[in-house]
Amino acid sequence: MSVVTVQLGQCGNQVGQELFDIICSDAQEGQRKTYSVASCERFFHQTAHGDLVARALLIDMEPKVINRSMSMAAKSGRWSYGESSHFSQKQGSGNNWANGYCVHGPRHRDAVEELVRREVERCDRLAGLIAMMSVAGGTGSGVGTYVTQCLRDIYPSSFILNHLTWPYGTGEVIVQNYNSVLTLAHLYQLSDAILVHENDTVHRICSQLLNIKHISFSDVNRVIAHQLGSILQPALTADSHGAYSRNPLGELVSALACHPEYKLLSMCTIPQMASSSIAYSTFSWPGLLKHLRQMLISNTKMEEGIDWQVRPPAESGRSRSLAGGSFNTSLANLLILRGKDVYSAETGGIDDPALYTSWLSSKEAFSLWKSPVPFNKYEKSATLVSNSQALLRPLDDMVGKAWNMFASRAYIHQYIKFGISEEDFLDSFTSLEQVISSYSQLC
Amino acid sequence: MTQSVVVQVGQCGNQVGCRFWDLALREHAHVNKRGLYDEALSSFFRNVDSRNSDGAAFAVGGRIQHLKARAVLVDMEEGVVNQILQGPLREVFDSTQLLTDVSGSGNNWAVGNMTYGSAYREKIVDKLRKAAEQCDCLQCFFLIHSMGGGTGSGLGTRVLSLLEEEFPEVCRIITSIYPSAEDDVITSPYNSVLAMNKLTEHADCVLLVENQSLVDIVNKIKIMSHGTKPGLIIKRNSTVTSGQGGLSGAEKPFDAMNNIVANLLLNITSSARFEGSLNMDLNEIAMNLVPFPRLHYLVPSLTPLYTLADINVPTRRLDQMFSDAFSKDHQLIQADPKHSLYLACALMVRGNVQVSDVRRNIERLRPSLPFVSWNQEGWKTSLCSVPPVGHSHSLLALANNTCVKPTFMELRERFTKLYRKKAHLHHYLHVEGMEQSFFSEAIASLNSLIEEYHHLDATKARLMPDAPRLSIAR
């Protein structure tokens, strides 16, 4: 079964190109025939000449980034994007969500839907759709939300996963918090699961773990692509009966997003190190899993600065609050292990009921996927995708800042002139406060 | 890629505009080595067949045949425009882009706005439409004018309202040159206040430039050029200090000052013309810098204003560039933004500068710059990889800051001094269509604008609590 990826806006297109690059090189590495076939079937279709063409659509309101992504793909020599699998206009969305959602989206609806339809028809069976975008700008956020809505309308029974990149806290765009709030509120109704990467976190991974001196956006994008790839590449699941799972998005969604109020997913992957160091390092599953477990419960998204003092609370000590303690309660977790000796790896205590909310049994809350094939040059790697309180603080900050700005009605006239109202803003704020409240009360 | 059209009105507007086109050609010549008509050039120039007088334009990609500026030149006396047409830039404009008359506006806003505004309405709209039609995707109109005279001020603001009427979707960025206190035109306060009313109503954003600041900057550069500090040699061929290397040879009196303004325009549009790692479209300027529709007056500051002969610029110098942008000496109006309140700030960087450099400097400067409570991280950045001619990098900071309030208050004072005595009022009221209510409306608009800035200023000293969040029923 195949996955169709829709890349939206500058960020979506840049990250998407890195993702396909990593998937392709991982799939073609070494002698792992079944894995390679499964991976290629999932993400590429083959032309008559045996060339790999990504099952992807590139959508942006201005042409520069799409052109760059398509030419970089072609240059790799291993894969490319479809010649006509892209849509762009001449003028961007001006960092304005309303411009993207109310103007550009509807204006180009037919063209985009046509592109999606063509790509889906090329699949034997559709496993689901992934929409990749950022939330800070105008196109990824606004047009991206509109396109997700269209996808939901056309494919009501398919799985839709939205991958979002959250901007640096100190800002790249002044109105980023408005754009983020509007996007998240709408997507919560449309998407099956929302997987988030934060630029701040990935930036720290680049500087502290990968030791990159002058960090550029392509460094950041490559880390995001690596982490995404570690989820999406073929794996053996509990339901796949000894073969690679044919329904990765479906299994991901049912493992993690079982309740409509809880759809925010975060992730961490270990190890992450400079590629020059990989060859000289060895890892053990118990060691990796111990770190991963502590990263989960102390809400550290990378393998440095882990707070080992944080422990799961005793039964009586469970408190419901945003600031209460630094223990991160999980609703559900998906652990994905890839590499050598994976069959002997245990769960590392990540299925311990103390980590989870009380109303879901740990059997339902915890899922484990394995693949004996090493991923992207790491002999062993472990990825944890969590539906937990990990994004609560960043989300609360984002809503807080947007609300403060809204209280003085700053910049609102820029949105209103494209067709959304103060009511729409209030609705979005209300939805997100609800999400924040739900996650705060998780215990 | 989008296109922009420059509309230059009046003597000052045309002189500045002329320097802009000269420098723009020079900049593109510096970058575009192969003589191809590329996207960057097409944002401000058309490429036509010189044999055909009303030549259809060539599409992007071919060789450069004949570049024509996307511009409309308006002046009610012929001197300046004629000079342009006799000078080396004559090939860049054709007669269909010009609108002139003979007698001028007599430094009278009413004559410019009402008399000429009505007489030439059709022709103006016609020429604007023609320029717009020649664009594939028109994003922005740049209007250049001065506030103190009659044509730039009066007819210029009339053109502005026509732009809003005919092309409501296209962004309008106005560069307004405000007169200094010792302006030789006695009625400049009247003209300026009457024009400001229109700017507040019809412009998307206004880049404020004060003559006095330009004079100060030019003087400072002169002093530095003759300075005796060892090792400090001012490069002579930077576009900021001189037009040398451009088409026009000898320098005319206001050239140095006009060059600075022309550079301002070059830098604002650089991210739209050339590529970079963090592009900024022109419509993003208004989106990010204008939180309330009437408060769209931006304070520009440009660095560097002179280049040292030392080309090898260590990081320290780069940081110095950022510090300079926030110093009083580099602002293009007489104001002190550091002691007022920032509503938003945009940094447009050109040259070999990385995201990490910008972030480091923002963090460094942030504590000393007061930002309004609801926009504590109100920075918009853009990175363009092509530096200006003669420099390795440059920075243009555009701030929406309450420091414009004193400037407006001074203007109001000068206006009131005259208006109280009804001095020279009859010149205006004699013009057909002009009434005293225009004056009272204009001063009322200026008053309320000052009030709005004052309101925001008042929040500066107080510690604003966060707005209480919505509470959800459990």
Side-chain angles (χ1 to χ4, degrees):
Chain A
M1 283 169 64
S2 314
V3 170
V4 171
T5 305
V6 184
Q7 309 177 176
L8 296 142
Q10 173 167 20
C11 177
N13 279 293
Q14 285 175 331
V15 177
Q17 183 258 320
E18 298 283 359
L19 175 63
F20 280 102
D21 208 50
I22 285 189
I23 288 180
C24 183
S25 68
D26 179 56
Q28 296 183 325
E29 174 123 349
Q31 318 270 347
R32 310 97 57 104
K33 194 88 199 306
T34 340
Y35 181 81
S36 172
V37 166
S39 170
C40 291
E41 163 71 28
R42 191 178 283 186
F43 293 105
F44 300 92
H45 75 264
Q46 287 206 327
T47 64
H49 307 286
D51 297 324
L52 290 176
V53 177
R55 299 189 192 276
L57 299 161
L58 301 91
I59 300 177
D60 200 356
M61 291 301 108
E62 56 112 6
K64 292 192 289 268
V65 181
I66 288 185
N67 287 341
R68 190 124 205 281
S69 296
M70 290 187 72
S71 73
M72 284 187 69
K75 259 195 240 156
S76 76
R78 290 174 274 118
W79 66 280
S80 65
Y81 282 108
E83 278 295 308
S84 45
S85 301
H86 61 100
F87 177 82
S88 63
Q89 292 290 281
K90 301 212 186 79
Q91 195 174 177
S93 305
N95 291 164
N96 190 322
W97 188 92
N99 193 3
Y101 185 79
C102 306
V103 176
H104 287 298
R107 193 180 283 171
H108 307 300
R109 180 194 186 122
D110 292 335
V112 172
E113 281 188 0
E114 181 53 36
L115 276 184
V116 175
R117 241 184 276 269
R118 258 195 289 153
E119 193 61 52
V120 169
E121 273 158 25
R122 266 197 274 262
C123 305
D124 267 342
R125 290 186 66 188
L126 182 67
L129 302 145
I130 300 179
M132 300 184 65
M133 56 221 241
S134 72
V135 293
T139 299
S141 70
V143 176
T145 305
Y146 189 82
V147 168
T148 306
Q149 199 168 292
C150 296
L151 294 177
R152 183 46 83 205
D153 289 336
I154 314 176
Y155 304 103
S157 46
S158 290
F159 291 105
I160 298 180
L161 172 69
N162 282 80
H163 174 260
L164 303 181
T165 304
W166 286 10
Y168 288 101
T170 51
E172 301 152 28
V173 170
I174 294 181
V175 291
Q176 64 187 41
N177 295 310
Y178 279 162
N179 294 335
S180 308
V181 164
L182 291 164
T183 306
L184 280 169
H186 281 77
L187 284 183
Y188 227 79
Q189 308 305 318
L190 302 166
S191 184
D192 288 312
I194 301 176
L195 182 57
V196 175
H197 270 105
E198 300 165 80
N199 267 349
D200 281 307
T201 307
V202 181
H203 188 102
R204 263 180 285 136
I205 292 177
C206 286
S207 73
Q208 293 178 271
L209 295 180
L210 302 181
N211 283 321
I212 302 176
K213 287 279 176 305
H214 295 288
I215 299 168
S216 64
F217 276 118
S218 19
D219 297 316
V220 172
N221 295 340
R222 224 165 277 135
V223 171
I224 296 178
H226 170 86
Q227 297 202 345
L228 269 182
S230 73
I231 303 180
L232 298 173
Q233 283 290 62
L236 306 163
T237 70
D239 293 333
S240 68
H241 308 300
Y244 287 118
S245 163
R246 309 206 62 206
N247 188 8
L249 292 187
E251 297 207 47
L252 181 106
V253 169
S254 54
L256 293 171
C258 52
H259 190 298
E261 280 199 1
Y262 301 94
K263 288 185 182 172
L264 285 179
L265 309 179
S266 62
M267 61 176 299
C268 43
T269 304
I270 61 171
Q272 293 252 218
M273 50 181 25
S275 42
S276 47
S277 319
I278 300 181
Y280 303 106
S281 318
T282 48
F283 302 96
S284 69
W285 287 118
L288 285 176
L289 290 168
K290 186 163 164 217
H291 277 78
L292 207 49
R293 181 180 186 271
Q294 196 61 25
M295 282 162 72
L296 170 66
I297 63 182
S298 66
N299 193 15
T300 328
K301 299 204 180 80
M302 61 178 207
E303 218 184 332
E304 201 158 294
I306 302 178
D307 185 353
W308 290 96
Q309 301 301 325
V310 179
R311 298 251 184 280
E315 269 308 310
S316 55
R318 293 204 167 195
S319 56
R320 308 171 151 218
S321 77
L322 189 60
S326 32
F327 174 72
N328 180 32
T329 310
S330 299
L331 176 56
N333 278 302
L334 168 61
L335 179 62
I336 306 174
L337 305 176
R338 296 180 184 275
K340 203 163 150 233
D341 303 328
V342 78
Y343 294 115
S344 63
E346 304 273 318
T347 59
I350 301 182
D351 55 352
D352 177 1
L355 271 53
Y356 294 92
T357 180
S358 51
W359 43 268
L360 205 57
S361 84
S362 66
K363 248 189 55 152
E364 283 151 24
F366 175 77
S367 313
L368 178 60
W369 295 0
K370 289 183 177 179
S371 159
V373 174
F375 171 68
N376 206 18
K377 311 219 175 40
Y378 285 90
E379 182 198 63
K380 296 189 178 82
S381 64
T383 297
L384 190 62
V385 189
S386 309
N387 190 341
S388 71
Q389 295 175 313
L391 290 168
L392 185 48
R393 174 113 281 155
L395 177 63
D396 189 62
D397 284 345
M398 175 194 282
V399 174
K401 287 188 204 156
W403 183 246
N404 251 342
M405 208 182 250
F406 184 70
S408 46
R409 295 295 185 275
Y411 299 102
I412 297 298
H413 70 286
Q414 308 268 17
Y415 289 85
I416 293 189
K417 80 174 179 220
F418 286 107
I420 66 171
S421 64
E422 285 191 18
E423 275 303 305
D424 295 319
F425 269 95
L426 283 170
D427 287 341
S428 297
F429 278 112
T430 314
S431 309
L432 290 187
E433 293 287 2
Q434 182 66 62
V435 173
I436 291 173
S437 168
S438 305
Y439 273 101
S440 304
Q441 294 182 64
L442 214 56
C443 71
Chain B
M1 193 58 90
T2 55
Q3 290 82 40
S4 304
V5 172
V6 175
V7 184
Q8 23 193 101
V9 187
Q11 172 175 19
C12 174
N14 277 291
Q15 283 177 337
V16 172
C18 183
R19 299 267 9 101
F20 167 72
W21 290 111
D22 192 24
L23 295 180
L25 280 172
R26 195 170 131 196
E27 194 171 81
H28 280 282
H30 192 81
V31 173
N32 189 342
K33 299 291 186 199
R34 296 190 302 165
L36 286 178
Y37 178 62
D38 57 9
E39 293 277 9
L41 265 176
S42 92
S43 62
F44 278 94
F45 295 91
R46 292 156 44 223
N47 189 19
V48 297
D49 186 347
S50 45
R51 289 166 294 168
N52 211 338
S53 67
D54 190 20
F58 290 120
V60 172
R63 288 202 66 77
I64 296 177
Q65 306 275 357
H66 210 99
L67 289 176
K68 289 269 185 228
R70 298 188 192 279
V72 176
L73 290 74
V74 178
D75 201 356
M76 291 298 102
E77 51 174 17
E78 295 182 311
V80 179
V81 174
N82 275 345
Q83 240 181 2
I84 297 177
L85 291 182
Q86 282 156 15
L89 282 176
R90 61 179 170 276
E91 299 294 319
V92 172
F93 306 109
D94 66 54
S95 54
T96 58
Q97 297 170 265
L98 314 172
L99 181 66
T100 55
D101 200 314
V102 204
S103 25
S105 305
N107 286 326
N108 188 326
W109 184 91
V111 172
N113 190 287
M114 314 239 126
T115 316
Y116 287 122
S118 318
Y120 285 108
R121 189 187 187 288
E122 293 303 322
K123 278 213 176 123
I124 293 174
V125 171
D126 206 42
K127 290 181 192 295
L128 290 174
R129 216 172 261 146
K130 188 137 180 276
E133 274 159 22
Q134 285 161 344
C135 297
D136 214 359
C137 180
L138 176 62
Q139 185 170 64
C140 183
F141 278 110
F142 284 99
L143 182 70
I144 315 176
H145 71 147
S146 72
M147 299 286 278
T151 304
S153 167
L155 187 53
T157 45
R158 179 57 96 101
V159 170
L160 175 59
S161 19
L162 287 176
L163 285 176
E164 187 177 33
E165 237 179 85
E166 302 288 323
F167 308 95
E169 317 258 301
V170 180
C171 196
R172 293 171 292 283
I173 300 185
I174 323 295
T175 306
S176 301
I177 320 281
Y178 279 66
S180 37
E182 307 91 35
D183 197 67
D184 50 1
V185 176
I186 301 185
T187 49
S188 68
Y190 282 162
N191 297 330
S192 303
V193 172
L194 288 165
M196 257 200 82
N197 188 9
K198 301 296 177 188
L199 287 183
T200 305
E201 248 180 275
H202 301 297
D204 284 319
C205 51
V206 178
L207 307 173
L208 292 171
V209 180
E210 261 186 319
N211 258 348
Q212 190 56 49
S213 301
L214 295 179
V215 168
D216 289 342
I217 290 174
V218 168
N219 283 337
K220 209 174 95 146
I221 296 176
K222 279 214 193 91
I223 294 175
M224 293 225 60
S225 319
H226 300 117
T228 50
K229 234 177 165 175
L232 220 68
I233 313 163
I234 306 295
K235 272 165 88 167
R236 291 239 150 235
N237 65 352
S238 112
T239 50
V240 181
T241 48
S242 86
Q244 278 170 1
L247 288 178
S248 19
E251 282 192 21
K252 292 190 250 64
F254 281 103
D255 267 359
M257 289 162 63
N258 293 339
N259 266 339
I260 298 177
V261 185
N263 269 284
L264 165 64
L265 284 173
L266 274 184
N267 283 349
I268 279 197
T269 55
S270 62
S271 191
R273 286 179 292 136
F274 300 113
E275 60 159 28
S277 57
L278 196 56
N279 289 334
M280 180 158 94
D281 247 349
L282 292 166
N283 53 4
E284 291 173 31
I285 295 184
M287 177 64 188
N288 282 286
L289 291 177
V290 182
F292 303 103
R294 284 157 54 90
L295 305 185
H296 54 240
Y297 291 90
L298 307 178
V299 179
S301 76
L302 202 49
T303 63
L305 292 173
Y306 50 83
T307 320
L308 308 178
D310 184 355
I311 304 191
N312 207 350
V313 178
T315 320
R316 189 174 42 91
R317 286 279 166 73
L318 189 60
D319 288 4
Q320 184 60 41
M321 182 175 81
F322 278 90
S323 303
D324 282 343
F326 290 95
S327 84
K328 262 176 58 187
D329 299 331
H330 288 252
Q331 309 295 321
L332 296 189
I333 69 168
Q334 309 260 283
D336 192 6
K338 268 180 153 167
H339 293 106
S340 306
L341 195 60
Y342 276 89
L343 301 181
C345 188
L347 297 173
M348 282 169 265
V349 190
R350 296 183 68 172
N352 187 14
V353 183
Q354 301 307 325
V355 166
S356 40
D357 295 316
V358 179
R359 287 165 60 86
R360 181 185 67 245
N361 277 289
I362 290 181
E363 261 177 61
R364 187 174 60 89
L365 293 167
R366 180 68 193 76
S368 62
L369 302 172
F371 268 79
V372 74
S373 64
W374 40 259
N375 206 1
Q376 291 284 307
E377 283 113 14
W379 296 92
K380 168 76 180 156
T381 27
S382 90
L383 296 166
C384 172
S385 39
V386 177
V389 179
H391 296 265
S392 57
H393 32 58
S394 76
L395 170 63
L396 167 66
L398 280 182
N400 192 339
N401 188 307
T402 56
C403 68
V404 297
K405 192 181 73 176
T407 310
F408 294 158
M409 284 170 71
E410 257 181 52
L411 179 61
R412 178 173 64 183
E413 227 187 88
R414 283 185 267 144
F415 174 93
T416 316
K417 242 166 127 173
L418 291 176
Y419 193 59
R420 237 188 351 233
K421 302 280 172 66
K422 303 228 186 316
H424 303 280
L425 216 47
H426 54 286
H427 291 303
Y428 290 80
L429 297 177
H430 274 158
V431 175
E432 168 131 6
M434 187 68 179
E435 292 162 16
Q436 186 128 10
S437 60
F438 277 83
F439 281 88
S440 36
E441 267 169 37
I443 198 64
S445 154
L446 183 57
N447 278 333
S448 77
L449 190 66
I450 293 177
E451 230 354 85
E452 280 181 59
Y453 278 110
H454 188 74
H455 230 61
L456 286 164
D457 250 346
T459 66
K460 181 171 170 236
R462 284 186 270 137
L463 199 62
M464 299 300 285
D466 284 339
R469 300 270 290 274
L470 295 173
S471 49
I472 303 294
R474 299 277 159 87

